[in-house]
Amino acid sequence: MASRIPAAVLAATGSVGQRFIQLLDGHPWFEVVAVTGSERSAGAYYGEACHWVLPEPMPEWAKRLKVTATEELDMDLPLIFSALPASVARTAEPEFARRHAVVCSNASAFRMDPYVPILLPEVNPDHITVLDRQRQVHGWKGAIVTNSNCTSTGMTVALKALQEQFGLRKVLAVSMQAISGAGYPGVASLDILDNVIPYIAGEEEKVEAESCKMLGHVAEGQIRPAEFQVSAHTNRVAVSDGHLVCLSVELERQASVEEAGLALQAYQAPEPSRDLPSAPCPVIAVRSEPDRPQPRLDRMAGRGMTTTVGRLRPDPLFHLKMVVLSHNTIRGAAGGSIYNAELLYSLGILG
Amino acid sequence: MASRIPAAVLAATGSVGQRFIQLLDGHPWFEVVAVTGSERSAGAYYGEACHWVLPEPMPEWAKRLKVTATEELDMDLPLIFSALPASVARTAEPEFARRHAVVCSNASAFRMDPYVPILLPEVNPDHITVLDRQRQVHGWKGAIVTNSNCTSTGMTVALKALQEQFGLRKVLAVSMQAISGAGYPGVASLDILDNVIPYIAGEEEKVEAESCKMLGHVAEGQIRPAEFQVSAHTNRVAVSDGHLVCLSVELERQASVEEAGLALQAYQAPEPSRDLPSAPCPVIAVRSEPDRPQPRLDRMAGRGMTTTVGRLRPDPLFHLKMVVLSHNTIRGAAGGSIYNAELLYSLGILG
Amino acid sequence: MASRIPAAVLAATGSVGQRFIQLLDGHPWFEVVAVTGSERSAGAYYGEACHWVLPEPMPEWAKRLKVTATEELDMDLPLIFSALPASVARTAEPEFARRHAVVCSNASAFRMDPYVPILLPEVNPDHITVLDRQRQVHGWKGAIVTNSNCTSTGMTVALKALQEQFGLRKVLAVSMQAISGAGYPGVASLDILDNVIPYIAGEEEKVEAESCKMLGHVAEGQIRPAEFQVSAHTNRVAVSDGHLVCLSVELERQASVEEAGLALQAYQAPEPSRDLPSAPCPVIAVRSEPDRPQPRLDRMAGRGMTTTVGRLRPDPLFHLKMVVLSHNTIRGAAGGSIYNAELLYSLGILG
Amino acid sequence: MASRIPAAVLAATGSVGQRFIQLLDGHPWFEVVAVTGSERSAGAYYGEACHWVLPEPMPEWAKRLKVTATEELDMDLPLIFSALPASVARTAEPEFARRHAVVCSNASAFRMDPYVPILLPEVNPDHITVLDRQRQVHGWKGAIVTNSNCTSTGMTVALKALQEQFGLRKVLAVSMQAISGAGYPGVASLDILDNVIPYIAGEEEKVEAESCKMLGHVAEGQIRPAEFQVSAHTNRVAVSDGHLVCLSVELERQASVEEAGLALQAYQAPEPSRDLPSAPCPVIAVRSEPDRPQPRLDRMAGRGMTTTVGRLRPDPLFHLKMVVLSHNTIRGAAGGSIYNAELLYSLGILG
């Protein structure tokens, strides 16, 4: 693995940053050579600076990396994974894109830029074609590619399979989201034990906008959002990992439960995204038991990259009801960014 | 309190039965003189037969009641509170109604009978007028009055306030329900710790049918369900008490968030239901904080009888989104049945 | 209640501070007229500055109090309840004691000062006699009286009853502590969901030292700790309120389980502490069920002031094993400080 | 793997039974060819009869096994893994041992028989030498070998390392045990959410007796328990998997924290147990962080077979305090039985 592409992880000490480190351990194409953290942790070894919250042990190589401040990172790295908060990402990520780095970002800062794809390789790899215009418009030699909000991810994968076959008109989505989605320390235990918090700041707006953008198309070098309507309610529940979403969907062309099940089950990632190291297998797992998916039992399907759909049934108001589960820090965050980088690499855009 | 009406609690050792006992402790009008339980517990004192799961201590008088089998209960009691499972209620409750007892039931067995009201005193006290036909049709001297499914309760109270002012067209409801709703032992801890179960058998059908019936009207001695459409997703979460429901509502006449908030806040119980001992005060509490209601903080509003509504906001698909909370074993079960009995008593129907 | 003693609550916006406000609502002797908070919240109304985490609603009068910075508080108030962190308490509390205020403190800063009582009115009201020397030594006109660490509290009450009858030689204590003991936001939810944290910084040392001090005696104007030995293991578990402690106890004079049970059950607070508004009733509740006390079921015994003891049984190594439960933010924190103030008031030391 | 030893799993549909199935998937030496269950499930396919509660998916081969009643199982299988409840094991397991089967049992029924080893291969493989006498005394051609109670397991591994170097005199153990230890459905969610249950029926007696037996020696064909004294408190907490035990230990020869840490870290399984497929690697992981081990982070150490020890520190009463963690359904149950079978196989006792 001598010739792996050197990469940095920004905000590597946080909970999504840790997932990047854990998932990149032994990656065949990418090698983490630098990690950044807050000023407080800059200068320390990652093994000391990081309060590791994952059950998987911290890789030995990671312990020995020196944490640098994000603004002091070597600017010539070709690949940047960003777990920065949006406010910091807004100024820091373009610094890297301006040089020749490709930034695979988990931050929301540039997601709604019409020249920046919110990329799900199994859904919209064609959105990569906007990168040329992105470079022109922003004057970047590199690029920024984002992954979606962790709640939008799973539902968009499921909706794509339905959109392709039947078209989409209306989507009502109600999430029950894991605490790891709020980072670390994140949600206070007093707020979530024996409780539900029916509010996550900014989340409903993201879900409503991002799913339409991801399911849209590229025209004149821009991403044009799809025109179906989305309404989202987002809630925090006492689950460690795995976002569950109840969906009510109205299609353009009505489908039976059986037809929808077949469409979901048969859905395949477009060609360039299929055989990448992080590609989900299957893309969508359809469960027929009455009480699945469940976060504790299904979040690790396909090593955390598969979207699980269950409880497909008719909806008295719309056409279909279903429940979708996706691992929020793997498919919905770090794993998604890595999958994006793999797609870019396989297409020759990176490195 | 010498002349209180003697009452029995059926299935008094279960979790809803325990709430009946706890809430009837010191009741000004009703006195529990008999409790029934399974054959296994028959003959034992309630204090021994019952695995008490409430934080409030078991009342001393209750400890000394002898548990009898339901079928051996004195048939001449005027008031029966039933926490029986539906399958048992179907045959046992009519036995009491046939004599002169008024059965205030938490069971679902007769809820969809057009001559049996699903009674929420703050919503539909006029449904009591079907009792005459009920007696004729079924040949009963007493009566059966049910309270609604615990999930339907809070949302129906909120919907009533909107229906009255603006009319209702469509309702999409997604619940996050407490484990106490499943009785004791009920949900296995392995199934709910770090998890959500996106399925509760029979619950979605109940929510869809009961809310329409409760918001319907009486015509020709029958209850005719209201004609708006309801779609429900029901989920179990790791909360002890308090069912939370995310609602998306389409009205007949569009209302702004402010108008809806005022309608909810101003809603009062119809006259006969207002000053009863268990009447909620207020009927609806409207919270303006962005993150309320929450089960742990708001379930005991109005001693567990108030319905709390929050997060009123526009819905991109329908008109309004909101979150509703109701205590499932108080307002949604035992407390609701007691409130029903109080209404019947105050109207001279009971005793 | 026109002539109630005016009191301030320091650090009133935190979780213990909130308990002070909630428990002092309607207090017959004390009236909260001032609250302090961090610089960030100074100047705002308490109703806005405080993220209220208690199920009991915030009292209306509290909402309208202006939060001041602790150092700008009126120095002439006779009664100060302190929920300050130890580091701040160390300098701030003597400022008030220097004037004529009596500071009833929940902070650990002065607990190990031999002239400052760690006061449990039902255990060691005689320790108040050191206050004269306290004033001399420290040059204060007022006084500082502390309550104990929340984990030491319940076990010390139980140990007192045994010490009085049988003497104490060795105590091994293993706690399972509620998250509210760490304040708000306190424990991160990711750290405690589906987990136990077998460590609480500084806690074991406090438990080992404070219980001996509280069970000690006054000699030559100082408090001399009792001489039995204590070893503590402290753990954090996913419980909202209520600290559970497993105790193994070696007595000076061996007692049977029955004798110990009688001693615990018969224990009464010394005369001056018996009829105060916050006095626990009973002081100790002894449960005979095999599986009690439990935090969810027993923490509110005696309105949160009673210590519950159960599972009394022989210990193969020592003499007795038992389990002790105490509400950590009521008896173990705010309620304890208020009880202390009541004792001082009733003895004419305050106001 | 054509020549793997055919094995049956008794009570395969329960939670420990499921762990047997999951851990035996792809086992190099043993092949599950039969599974037994309750009469209710007999005749059905395992895939249908079993309510699978593990996050790892059910192996395909297991789905296609027919469940038989335990008493109808083919008696000529050489290897039986038993997850039977003790009451059933008492009569069923000897039936198999009477023929030539080796029963590796998780049940407590025969653990205290002086001719039946409670076997931990990394601790007491020499206890296997009692099997000859077992066969004589009981008239069996096969054998019964048990693994210990899930709570005794981890602490006994740690105590063994200390016993070998320093001798043991007194052990006080306080457990915080996972809900999976109670099987499925096991602990009711209402009993453990926001709660601790300070009692597990029969558990303390098992911990006190089994740890002494396992650390004893063989003399005259019997196992003689070690003579140190143990006192146990056992508690159930809201953790899915992983039993945590706080230990206070008095040694025969006092050891410093450093010496004890080295002894634990250096501990190796005796020769015959070292390189077996399920051998823990390392046997004991010693953590130096102040707040480890934690169930969520450390239970899967060594694929769930490693014992993790942390918080080594002096004990004011005894010599040492520490915290021990062990995965209760892997090392403490199914994985332990499989490890036992591997040891027996490698020694030529089986098959």
Side-chain angles (χ1 to χ4, degrees), chain C:
Chain C
M1 303 201 286
S3 59
R4 292 189 296 170
I5 293 181
V9 176
L10 310 187
T13 58
S15 70
V16 170
Q18 293 180 23
R19 271 287 179 211
F20 272 115
I21 297 296
Q22 182 249 324
L23 293 170
L24 287 165
D25 183 35
H27 195 278
W29 299 346
F30 311 135
E31 179 180 12
V32 179
V33 298
V35 290
T36 78
S38 64
E39 276 176 43
R40 202 169 37 79
S41 55
Y45 285 104
Y46 186 73
E48 289 152 17
C50 175
H51 177 80
W52 189 257
V53 296
L54 298 178
E56 298 85 0
M58 186 189 291
E60 288 301 318
W61 55 263
K63 293 183 187 171
R64 295 185 300 263
L65 290 173
K66 270 259 174 70
V67 179
T68 63
T70 298
E71 55 278 15
E72 286 164 20
L73 189 66
D74 170 12
M75 283 289 150
D76 288 328
L77 285 168
L79 177 57
I80 304 287
F81 292 108
S82 166
L84 290 172
S87 57
V88 182
R90 186 159 295 285
T91 55
E93 291 180 359
E95 293 294 316
F96 294 97
R98 193 160 299 145
R99 311 288 286 253
H100 74 294
V102 170
V103 181
C104 290
S105 173
N106 186 55
S108 65
F110 294 95
R111 281 191 203 138
M112 296 318 293
D113 182 311
Y115 307 107
V116 173
I118 310 179
L119 188 60
L120 299 178
E122 68 272 59
V123 166
N124 61 356
D126 55 304
H127 287 204
I128 288 176
T129 57
V130 298
L131 290 185
D132 283 345
R133 279 299 300 277
Q134 183 191 103
R135 285 165 174 157
Q136 287 172 15
V137 169
H138 289 296
W140 297 339
K141 290 185 190 140
I144 293 179
V145 167
T146 66
N147 54 277
S148 64
N149 171 279
C150 48
T151 308
S152 315
T153 307
M155 61 180 267
T156 300
V157 173
L159 290 173
K160 172 69 176 184
L162 298 173
Q163 182 196 36
E164 238 180 28
Q165 297 278 324
F166 316 109
L168 289 175
R169 237 189 245 140
K170 293 177 186 171
V171 175
L172 201 139
V174 180
S175 72
M176 286 160 277
Q177 301 183 216
I179 53 178
S180 61
Y184 183 85
V187 180
S189 53
L190 270 176
D191 280 337
I192 203 68
L193 177 69
D194 190 11
N195 209 12
V196 171
I197 311 174
Y199 174 68
I200 300 168
E203 192 83 352
E204 293 172 353
E205 295 77 0
K206 289 180 195 166
V207 169
E208 293 172 359
E210 294 179 15
S211 52
C212 289
K213 183 176 174 189
M214 286 188 277
L215 294 172
H217 65 285
V218 177
E220 300 166 24
Q222 294 194 17
I223 298 162
R224 302 276 167 81
E227 291 194 342
F228 65 94
Q229 287 174 292
V230 186
S231 170
H233 299 247
T234 57
N235 302 283
R236 188 78 67 192
V237 294
V239 164
S240 61
D241 289 309
H243 285 0
L244 203 67
V245 182
C246 289
L247 287 182
S248 279
V249 180
E250 187 172 306
L251 305 166
E252 291 195 338
R253 186 169 72 71
Q254 179 157 6
S256 69
V257 163
E258 290 68 32
E259 290 169 321
L262 286 174
L264 288 160
Q265 203 141 25
Y267 185 76
Q268 300 230 357
E271 187 54 70
S273 311
R274 251 176 232 185
D275 299 315
L276 301 172
S278 300
C281 178
V283 175
I284 299 173
V286 178
R287 306 290 309 219
S288 57
E289 301 91 330
D291 60 352
R292 301 288 279 267
Q294 293 178 22
R296 194 176 74 85
L297 297 179
D298 297 309
R299 58 193 168 205
M300 287 307 296
R303 290 170 303 134
M305 292 298 287
T306 288
T307 297
T308 304
V309 180
R311 298 208 70 216
L312 261 170
R313 57 208 195 281
D315 187 318
L317 276 179
F318 291 174
H319 292 140
L320 293 167
K321 291 197 254 199
M322 72 199 75
V323 178
V324 178
L325 178 76
S326 177
H327 195 297
N328 56 301
T329 67
I330 301 181
R331 183 61 199 92
S337 277
I338 296 169
Y339 191 17
N340 286 349
E342 291 167 358
L343 177 60
L344 296 171
Y345 177 78
S346 74
L347 296 174
I349 292 164
L350 164 66

Side-chain angles (χ1 to χ4, degrees), chain A residues 257-311:
Chain A
V257 163
E258 291 66 34
E259 289 169 322
L262 285 174
L264 289 159
Q265 203 141 23
Y267 185 77
Q268 301 229 358
E271 188 53 72
S273 311
R274 252 177 232 184
D275 299 316
L276 302 173
S278 299
C281 178
V283 175
I284 299 174
V286 179
R287 307 289 308 218
S288 57
E289 301 91 330
D291 61 351
R292 300 289 279 266
Q294 292 179 22
R296 194 175 73 85
L297 297 178
D298 297 308
R299 58 193 169 206
M300 287 307 296
R303 289 170 304 133
M305 291 298 285
T306 287
T307 297
T308 304
V309 180
R311 297 208 69 218

Side-chain angles (χ1 to χ4, degrees), chain B residues 179 184-185 187-189 191 193 240, chain D residues 179 184-185 187-189 191 193 240:
Chain B
I179 52 177
Y184 183 86
V187 180
S189 53
D191 281 336
L193 178 68
S240 61
Chain D
I179 53 177
Y184 183 85
V187 180
S189 53
D191 280 337
L193 177 69
S240 61

Side-chain angles (χ1 to χ4, degrees), chain B residues 42-63:
Chain B
Y45 285 104
Y46 186 72
E48 290 153 16
C50 176
H51 178 80
W52 189 258
V53 296
L54 299 177
E56 299 84 1
M58 186 189 289
E60 287 302 317
W61 56 262
K63 292 183 187 171

Side-chain angles (χ1 to χ4, degrees), chain A residues 223-238:
Chain A
I223 297 162
R224 302 275 166 83
E227 292 194 342
F228 65 94
Q229 287 174 292
V230 186
S231 171
H233 298 246
T234 58
N235 302 282
R236 188 79 67 193
V237 294

